[in-house]
Amino acid sequence: MTLEEARLARSKKVNKIEKVKDLKDPMEAFEAIEKYAQEGYDSIPDEDKKYFLKCFGIYDKDSLTPKQFMMRVRVAGGHLNATQAKALANIATKYGQDYIDITTRAQVEFRYLHIEDMPAILQELKDVGLNAYQTGVDNFRNIVTDPFDALGFDTILPSFELLQKLQEKFLFNPEWISTLPRKFNTAITGSTANRCNIFGHDCCFVLAQKDGLYGYNLYLGGRVGMIAKNADLFLTNEEEVLLAYNALIEIFKKYGFRDNRNKNRLHFLIDAVGMQTITAAIREVAGVDFATAGDTLTTVNAHDTQHGKVQLKDGTFGVQVVVPSGIFSGTALLKAAKLSQEFGNGELRFSVEQNLYILGVKDTQTLLQDELFNEYKNVNSPYLNNLIACAGTEHCSFGVIENKRDAIAMSEYLTNAVPLESGRVRLYWSACVKGCGTHEIADIGFEGCKAKVDGVTEDGVHITLGGKIVSDGKNGYTVLKSAPLRFARFYVESLMIEYKKLRNKQESFEQFHDRVLTQYSAAYIGFYMRLQAYLRAKNIPNELRINAVTKTGKNEEFELFELGRKLYYQLAKEEAYTAYSRFTNENKREKLIDLRKIDSSIDENIAQMTFKMLEAEEKRAVVFSELIEFIAL
C-alpha cells in the first residue's frame, strides 16, 4: 500500500520519454535495422534515432559526427576471451576508425559507425557471443564484478556464474526491454577487495558473512552523487540472490516513478517510502523471510594498479595494461588478444577504472617487453594508473568540457611537476553533472562546468576530495567550485606537493586525506590550494605546509587567522603580534604592521591579504571567500 501510494503521488503526469515508449514495441526498431541499412540514415524515424535504437546500444551521434552512431557493447562483468576481443578489434578497425572506449561499466563503445554497417556489426558480435542489447536508456545496464573473480586469491565467493544467471532474467526478454522507469545498474562481488566500485549501483550484492555462512549483503539506491545504502538483507546462496533480485526489479518496474526523469532512479523510490518498506516488499514478493544483514567483508582497496600484476590462485598472473581515460583502439585490442593467447590463458578483463588485464600469464618478464607496453604501460605514474574519464564534448552531447584529454593532460602535468615513485591517487573525471566518470567517489574528483576569467566564460571544473569505494563507500565534498580548467592543474599540484612531503611510507592519498586533510574545513583546503598556486606563479618562496595551522575544530574563522599568522611569520620572520589568546591577538590596542613596511619586496597582493586576515577583530576577514581576489591567477 505504501508503494502504491507513493507511485500514485508521482503519477499525475509522465515524462516525454514515457510517451515515446508508447509509440511502438522496441523490437520493431531492432527488426527494422536491416531496412534502415538498405535505405540509409535519412530513412530512420526520429523516435528510433532518439530512443528505440538506444535500447539496443545504438546511439545516434549526428549532432557530433554527422550521420554516424556510437554502439555500446555489453561485456558481462568485463570478462572477455581472445576470440571475442579479436571480433571487437575487427569491428573497430573495419567500421569505426579504429577507435574504442573502455567504459566505467567494464564494457566497450565503438564510434563513427554507419547504419549501413549495423547488420554486419551485430552479426559479428553475435557470432562470438556478444551483443549490445539493453545497454542504453531505460534498461538493465552491464552488470559488473571483480575482474579476477574465481581466479583471485581474495575471492571467497566466485560470482561471475551468478552474474550470468541474474542477466538471464532480463537479457533478450521483451518483457524487460525498455519497461523500467529508468536505467538500472547492478554489481556483485564475492571478493574482499573492491575492484568494481561495488557500492555505486542501484543494486549491489556485496560479500558478507553471518552465523559462519558466507553470502551477500544487499545494498540499494546508489547513483551519481549517492552511495548505495545497506538494505539489511543477507542472502545465503545463489537461489536467494536470484529471488531477491527478481523481486526487487519487479517492484521497481511496477512502482518506480515515471514523471521527472531526474528523480526516477531506484534511489528516489527508496527515499519516498523508506528502506524498510522496500525490504519488506522484497521479502513479500520473493516469498522468503531473508535474514538480516551480516558483516560486510568487501572492505579492502585493491592495490593491483601500483604493481602492474597480481598473482592468481593457479600461480599465474593477471597483467595490467593501463589505458588512460579508457581511450583504446582496435589495433591495440587485437594485439592484447594475441598476447593473451601467446602468454596467457586466452582471457582478458576490462576494469571499471577503464584498464585492461591479460590473465593466466606465466612469463611476465617476456610479455612486458612487447611493444604494446610502450604505448600502454604496465605501471604508469600514480596519476594515470587509476585515472577515469567519461566521454566529454567530443563524443557526448551532455558534456560540458572535453574531459578525456583534459584528464590525461592534468595527470601528465602532475607526473612531471610532482613525480611520485609510489602511491595511489584516484583521479576521476566527469564531463558534466551526470557523473558518468564517478567523480563523487574519487580521491580527487572533477566535474565539468563553466567558469569565468576576467568576465569571460571558459571551461572549468568543480573539484572534490575524500570519496571512498570501500567500507560502505563515501561521496566526496567540494573544495573548489568553478575552477578554471587551465588553472585547475596548479591547484591540484598544491595538494600533491603536500601529499609527497607529508605522506607516511606507502600511504595512499586516501589514507593521507583521512590522516591529515580531514582535520580542516573544505574552505581552508580549497583556499590553501589557490594560495600555493599563486605563490608558485609569483616565485614567492615559502615552506608553509597545509598542516601548519593549529587544529581549530574546522572553524573557518580561526583557520583563516592561524593561516594569516603563519604566513606573516614566513614573510616577515617575526610574529604579527606579541601575544595571542584563542585565535586572536591578546592586546587589542596593539597595531599590526603592514608587511610592505617591513620588506617592500613582498608581493603587494599577499601583503594586503595578510593584513586583512590579521587586522583588528572587527575588520578582519572571517571566511576565505573574502580573500580570493588577492590570489587570482
Side-chain angles (χ1 to χ4, degrees):
M1 288 175 61
T2 305
L3 284 162
E4 180 63 11
E5 288 171 3
R7 184 189 70 81
L8 290 173
R10 290 279 300 270
S11 296
K12 295 175 183 177
K13 62 178 181 177
V14 296
N15 61 64
K16 293 179 181 178
I17 296 299
E18 290 297 327
K19 293 177 181 178
V20 171
K21 290 180 187 180
D22 290 336
L23 295 177
K24 65 171 70 172
D25 183 328
M27 290 305 299
E28 293 179 40
F30 185 77
E31 290 162 0
I33 290 174
E34 190 83 43
K35 173 177 171 288
Y36 299 152
Q38 294 173 2
E39 298 179 1
Y41 177 87
D42 294 331
S43 71
I44 307 173
D46 279 349
E47 65 268 20
D48 285 6
K49 291 176 184 174
K50 294 177 180 177
Y51 184 82
F52 290 107
L53 287 177
K54 293 179 183 178
C55 294
F56 309 99
I58 302 170
Y59 283 68
D60 177 33
K61 292 295 178 182
D62 183 55
S63 62
L64 298 170
T65 53
K67 297 189 177 183
Q68 293 179 332
F69 293 84
M70 178 269 278
M71 176 182 279
R72 183 178 296 142
V73 179
R74 183 182 294 275
V75 182
H79 288 220
L80 196 69
N81 62 45
T83 300
Q84 292 171 324
K86 288 178 180 179
L88 294 175
N90 182 63
I91 291 169
T93 53
K94 191 193 300 187
Y95 306 110
Q97 299 184 20
D98 199 25
Y99 186 91
I100 286 175
D101 271 329
I102 302 174
T103 80
T104 56
R105 297 206 69 77
Q107 57 194 348
V108 299
E109 291 178 351
F110 300 124
R111 303 192 185 278
Y112 315 114
L113 306 180
H114 293 89
I115 192 64
E116 291 80 1
D117 298 319
M118 280 302 166
I121 293 170
L122 292 169
Q123 186 60 51
E124 290 180 32
L125 290 173
K126 186 177 181 181
D127 289 344
V128 294
L130 293 174
N131 67 84
Y133 258 71
Q134 295 151 277
T135 55
V137 288
D138 299 347
N139 287 289
F140 295 92
R141 305 302 181 85
N142 196 44
I143 303 177
V144 299
T145 191
D146 189 301
F148 302 132
D149 194 51
L151 298 175
F153 270 109
D154 45 19
T155 296
I156 293 174
L157 290 180
S159 302
F160 181 66
E161 290 184 6
L162 179 52
L163 178 157
Q164 292 176 305
K165 292 177 182 178
L166 292 169
Q167 187 175 265
E168 287 174 6
K169 171 71 176 179
F170 60 81
L171 191 59
F172 307 122
N173 185 344
E175 292 183 13
W176 293 100
I177 299 175
S178 185
T179 58
L180 295 176
R182 203 64 166 80
K183 70 177 180 180
F184 195 88
N185 292 335
T186 308
I188 182 169
T189 184
S191 173
T192 58
N194 186 359
R195 295 189 182 91
C196 61
N197 176 21
I198 191 62
F199 301 102
H201 313 266
D202 294 276
C203 176
C204 322
F205 298 102
V206 189
L207 178 68
Q209 187 182 48
K210 183 171 185 175
D211 297 331
L213 296 175
Y214 288 107
Y216 301 91
N217 278 342
L218 180 62
Y219 286 74
L220 298 175
R223 65 176 185 90
V224 172
M226 289 289 171
I227 294 296
K229 297 178 181 178
N230 195 325
D232 197 24
L233 287 182
F234 178 70
L235 308 168
T236 60
N237 53 46
E238 286 192 1
E239 182 183 2
E240 288 196 350
V241 169
L242 293 170
L243 286 169
Y245 190 65
N246 292 346
L248 173 66
I249 62 179
E250 291 283 358
I251 291 164
F252 182 54
K253 180 180 178 180
K254 182 174 181 179
Y255 298 106
F257 305 139
R258 297 177 185 267
D259 52 355
N260 182 347
R261 284 186 67 77
N262 291 327
K263 295 183 178 181
N264 282 8
R265 294 283 291 276
L266 177 66
H267 166 85
F268 295 101
L269 180 61
I270 295 170
D271 252 9
V273 302
M275 186 67 83
Q276 287 186 339
T277 296
I278 297 294
T279 56
I282 291 171
R283 286 187 171 99
E284 183 176 327
V285 174
V288 179
D289 187 17
F290 299 114
T292 55
D295 298 321
T296 297
L297 300 183
T298 305
T299 57
V300 178
N301 269 318
H303 294 276
D304 317 320
T305 50
Q306 297 179 58
H307 308 292
K309 63 181 181 181
V310 58
Q311 186 179 4
L312 305 176
K313 284 181 179 176
D314 62 2
T316 64
F317 290 87
V319 176
Q320 176 178 254
V321 182
V322 177
V323 186
S325 292
I327 300 174
F328 210 42
S329 69
T331 301
L333 183 56
L334 178 61
K335 182 65 173 174
K338 291 179 177 178
L339 290 174
S340 78
Q341 291 177 312
E342 182 179 354
F343 292 94
N345 60 7
E347 292 287 326
L348 303 101
R349 300 289 184 265
F350 295 126
S351 78
V352 296
E353 288 189 320
Q354 299 176 301
N355 291 332
L356 176 71
Y357 287 95
I358 298 172
L359 300 190
V361 178
K362 295 179 180 178
D363 185 358
T364 59
Q365 188 172 0
T366 304
L367 170 63
L368 293 176
Q369 292 174 5
D370 189 87
E371 61 183 10
L372 175 69
F373 294 96
N374 294 332
E375 184 175 2
Y376 300 97
K377 298 190 181 301
N378 171 238
V379 179
N380 213 315
S381 90
Y383 306 110
L384 287 155
N385 283 333
N386 302 90
L387 181 65
I388 285 178
C390 66
T393 53
E394 184 177 354
H395 298 302
C396 178
S397 55
F398 295 111
V400 179
I401 61 175
E402 192 283 334
N403 206 51
K404 281 185 176 289
R405 291 179 179 82
D406 294 330
I408 293 171
M410 177 180 283
S411 290
E412 290 178 341
Y413 172 81
L414 294 172
T415 298
N416 293 319
V418 194
L420 296 170
E421 291 183 5
S422 65
R424 185 170 186 265
V425 187
R426 296 180 302 110
L427 306 176
Y428 293 176
W429 288 67
S430 297
C432 72
V433 69
K434 288 183 176 292
C436 295
T438 63
H439 65 278
E440 74 281 355
I441 56 168
D443 289 333
I444 307 177
F446 305 87
E447 179 192 319
C449 64
K450 291 300 179 185
K452 283 192 175 182
V453 178
D454 297 329
V456 179
T457 300
E458 58 181 62
D459 286 352
V461 284
H462 304 309
I463 301 178
T464 63
L465 294 181
K468 293 181 183 295
I469 60 173
V470 295
S471 302
D472 291 6
K474 184 179 181 180
N475 287 321
Y477 56 92
T478 302
V479 290
L480 287 175
K481 288 188 70 68
S482 303
L485 187 56
R486 56 174 151 149
F487 301 142
R489 62 181 62 185
F490 306 128
Y491 301 149
V492 178
E493 180 184 358
S494 300
L495 274 185
M496 290 302 103
I497 290 171
E498 299 308 295
Y499 174 50
K500 184 173 183 176
K501 286 182 177 292
L502 301 176
R503 66 185 290 227
N504 292 329
K505 188 176 181 180
Q506 304 300 321
E507 189 172 49
S508 68
F509 186 85
E510 180 178 317
Q511 293 167 326
F512 167 75
H513 170 271
D514 290 351
R515 181 176 61 84
V516 177
L517 300 184
T518 53
Q519 300 175 26
Y520 305 103
S521 70
Y524 168 67
I525 296 170
F527 183 80
Y528 182 89
M529 292 163 69
R530 288 177 181 267
L531 172 63
Q532 289 291 355
Y534 180 87
L535 295 175
R536 289 194 305 276
K538 298 295 184 180
N539 294 314
I540 301 171
N542 83 97
E543 292 298 325
L544 191 66
R545 302 273 63 84
I546 196 167
N547 62 349
V549 169
T550 305
K551 296 177 185 178
T552 68
K554 297 187 179 181
N555 184 304
E556 187 175 344
E557 180 181 355
F558 296 163
E559 288 175 331
L560 189 152
F561 180 83
E562 279 294 290
L563 180 62
R565 177 185 167 187
K566 300 292 184 183
L567 185 60
Y568 191 100
Y569 186 85
Q570 287 267 333
L571 297 170
K573 308 304 180 189
E574 61 182 59
E575 283 284 356
Y577 296 105
T578 54
Y580 300 93
S581 175
R582 188 162 174 75
F583 306 108
T584 188
N585 54 310
E586 192 171 86
N587 184 352
K588 303 300 181 184
R589 290 184 292 181
E590 188 175 7
K591 299 294 184 182
L592 178 68
I593 301 174
D594 191 314
L595 281 170
R596 300 269 292 178
K597 292 182 179 179
I598 298 174
D599 183 348
S600 60
S601 67
I602 292 175
D603 179 88
E604 186 173 351
N605 279 342
I606 294 297
Q608 289 183 29
M609 181 190 75
T610 307
F611 197 86
K612 192 169 179 64
M613 297 169 85
L614 297 173
E615 63 180 328
E617 201 165 356
E618 64 275 8
K619 299 178 183 179
R620 184 184 306 157
V622 294
V623 291
F624 286 107
S625 57
E626 297 179 65
L627 308 173
I628 297 300
E629 60 180 304
F630 294 108
I631 53 173
L633 293 180

